[in-house]
Amino acid sequence: MSDSRIEGYARALFEIARAEGTIDEVEDELFRLARTLESSDALRNALTDEKIPAARRQGIVEDLLGGKATVTTTQLVSMVVGGGRGRDLPAIIDKLVQRASREKKLEVAEVRSAVALTADQQTRLAAALANATGKQVNLKVIVDPSVLGGIVATVGDTVIDGSIRTRLDNVKGRL
Amino acid sequence: MSLLSLLAADPSETHHWLLPETAEIIYGGIASVLVIGGLVKFAGPMVKKSMAARTERIQKELDASANDLASAQSDAAGIRTALGDIDAERARLLADANAQAEALLRDGRARLTAEVAELEAKADADISAAAARRGDELRTEIGRVSSSALDKVLPSVLDEATQQALVENFISKVGASR
């Protein structure tokens, strides 16, 4: 899909979520869903396979998100997947998150951690990243076991890598 | 005795025990003169011609012999000259052959020396490459074993407390940096 279409979808989803008054939750849920889609080939294939009827794909979305995400999130994702744009869902969501962050004058900070972070840790981490980058950040935490330990934070073009995975790769490289 | 006295003598009387009768001498003399004259008249030119032809033939043979002798002497001189040339040519050929043999030997030695040097260099390079390859293989194997060991050990080392410590350490470090 072209960038303009992705941008159009992102703007539409953003406006709907903002109108519903659930933009923060929706943005957060969609971000986690996008990362899940990126890491799961099976789920991505199921949601993008044109041979599967749209209703069936939407059913998969509702089974996946029902009860775990807000109704708005579920409906928005179902709409995109039903429209045959499941392949572009991660890109649409990323645009939506950027737009939401811009609205709040924040920079998206993608944080990958091997373990879930507590609310206190997220608050302190957001403050630390703001101190390090000089930008107020919209923290998006992804639990990623491949990190093994520690955290990888990406703010714009800046990557702060404190993961065990990277250290381990360095050690392996030296070996 | 005159001719007339001979004619007048008795033919039946023998006048000398050794000499023939006078008439016999006369007739014999006349016959001899006739025969000799005939011989001189008729056979003389033929004999003379034959002698001249023989003389000419002998002269021709003498001339031919002289020519053959001159030719033989010329050939002998040529052969002697050729023999001298052959000696010079043989000497030149021998000198050329010696020079070529010397050059071949020199080239052969140089090529052999170069080939030996090349073989030595190749052997050194092969030994170095084999050593480097072995070293690489050893390092790769050490890396593989170490990686495998790290992958097996890390999950047990990275318990909840360690994970939290890593997170806190990251937050502290990032917060302190600017």
Side-chain angles (χ1 to χ4, degrees):
Chain A
M1 196 194 303
S2 64
D3 283 349
S4 60
R5 281 199 164 192
I6 290 172
E7 187 69 43
Y9 267 90
R11 190 171 62 247
L13 296 187
F14 174 78
E15 294 300 338
I16 292 169
R18 189 164 67 173
E20 292 284 335
T22 56
I23 184 64
D24 289 342
E25 296 94 329
V26 168
E27 176 202 345
D28 198 49
E29 289 165 357
L30 286 175
F31 184 81
R32 284 203 297 273
L33 175 65
R35 303 293 81 81
T36 304
L37 276 175
E38 284 174 349
S39 61
S40 172
D41 291 339
L43 179 58
R44 192 167 58 250
N45 291 338
L47 296 185
T48 59
D49 191 347
E50 298 291 336
K51 292 173 186 170
I52 299 175
R56 177 75 187 116
R57 293 201 299 269
Q58 288 173 319
I60 292 171
V61 170
E62 283 161 16
D63 288 345
L64 182 69
L65 298 179
K68 298 173 192 168
T70 60
V71 175
T72 306
T73 299
T74 305
Q75 287 178 342
L76 290 176
V77 173
S78 179
M79 181 186 76
V80 173
V81 170
R85 306 297 181 188
R87 193 178 303 279
D88 299 308
L89 194 53
I92 292 169
I93 290 171
D94 286 344
K95 289 285 184 187
L96 181 147
V97 171
Q98 286 172 10
R99 175 176 283 271
S101 296
R102 276 202 308 273
E103 287 286 319
K104 291 184 275 188
K105 301 191 186 313
L106 299 176
E107 185 80 17
V108 177
E110 182 184 298
V111 172
R112 289 180 179 272
S113 171
V115 293
L117 302 182
T118 64
D120 176 55
Q121 285 172 330
Q122 290 190 30
T123 303
R124 284 187 290 118
L125 180 56
L129 288 173
N131 184 53
T133 62
K135 300 170 185 173
Q136 291 302 308
V137 297
N138 180 9
L139 204 66
K140 298 296 176 191
V141 179
I142 304 159
V143 177
D144 184 354
S146 71
V147 172
L148 292 179
I151 288 173
V152 181
T154 305
V155 182
D157 294 332
T158 304
V159 177
I160 305 169
D161 194 338
S163 69
I164 295 297
R165 164 56 60 196
T166 300
R167 293 182 204 174
L168 185 61
D169 288 343
N170 289 339
V171 170
K172 286 180 177 177
R174 284 203 298 276
L175 286 173
Chain B
M1 182 172 20
S2 64
L3 185 55
L4 292 174
S5 63
L6 286 172
L7 289 172
D10 183 3
S12 61
E13 189 181 346
T14 300
H15 69 283
H16 196 273
W17 61 276
L18 182 61
L19 292 176
E21 295 295 329
T22 304
E24 190 176 347
I25 290 173
I26 293 168
Y27 296 135
I30 292 169
S32 294
V33 169
L34 289 174
V35 169
I36 289 169
L39 281 174
V40 169
K41 183 169 179 63
F42 298 106
M46 291 176 61
V47 170
K48 201 173 181 180
K49 187 177 178 183
S50 171
M51 290 303 289
R54 184 169 173 271
T55 302
E56 187 180 355
R57 190 174 68 248
I58 289 169
Q59 187 59 50
K60 280 183 180 175
E61 287 176 358
L62 285 173
D63 292 345
S65 296
N67 288 336
D68 289 346
L69 178 63
S71 176
Q73 285 173 341
S74 173
D75 290 348
I79 288 168
R80 277 192 290 276
T81 304
L83 277 173
D85 291 346
I86 286 170
D87 287 343
E89 183 68 11
R90 184 175 58 194
R92 192 184 63 75
L93 288 174
L94 282 172
D96 283 353
N98 282 336
Q100 286 181 4
E102 187 66 29
L104 280 175
L105 197 61
R106 193 168 53 247
D107 289 350
R109 281 181 184 148
R111 193 165 56 247
L112 200 61
T113 304
E115 284 177 1
V116 167
E118 188 180 344
L119 284 174
E120 285 178 351
K122 187 175 180 307
D124 288 344
D126 287 348
I127 291 168
S128 298
R133 195 164 52 246
R134 279 289 175 198
D136 288 346
E137 287 172 2
L138 193 59
R139 278 192 288 276
T140 303
E141 186 62 16
I142 290 171
R144 193 186 62 75
V145 171
S146 303
S147 297
S148 177
L150 281 172
D151 288 339
K152 285 179 182 169
V153 168
L154 265 179
S156 60
V157 173
L158 293 172
D159 56 11
E160 183 58 29
T162 306
Q163 292 283 10
Q164 291 303 322
L166 287 168
V167 169
E168 292 298 333
N169 185 44
F170 180 83
I171 294 171
S172 300
K173 280 189 175 177
V174 171
S177 65
R178 175 59 200 251

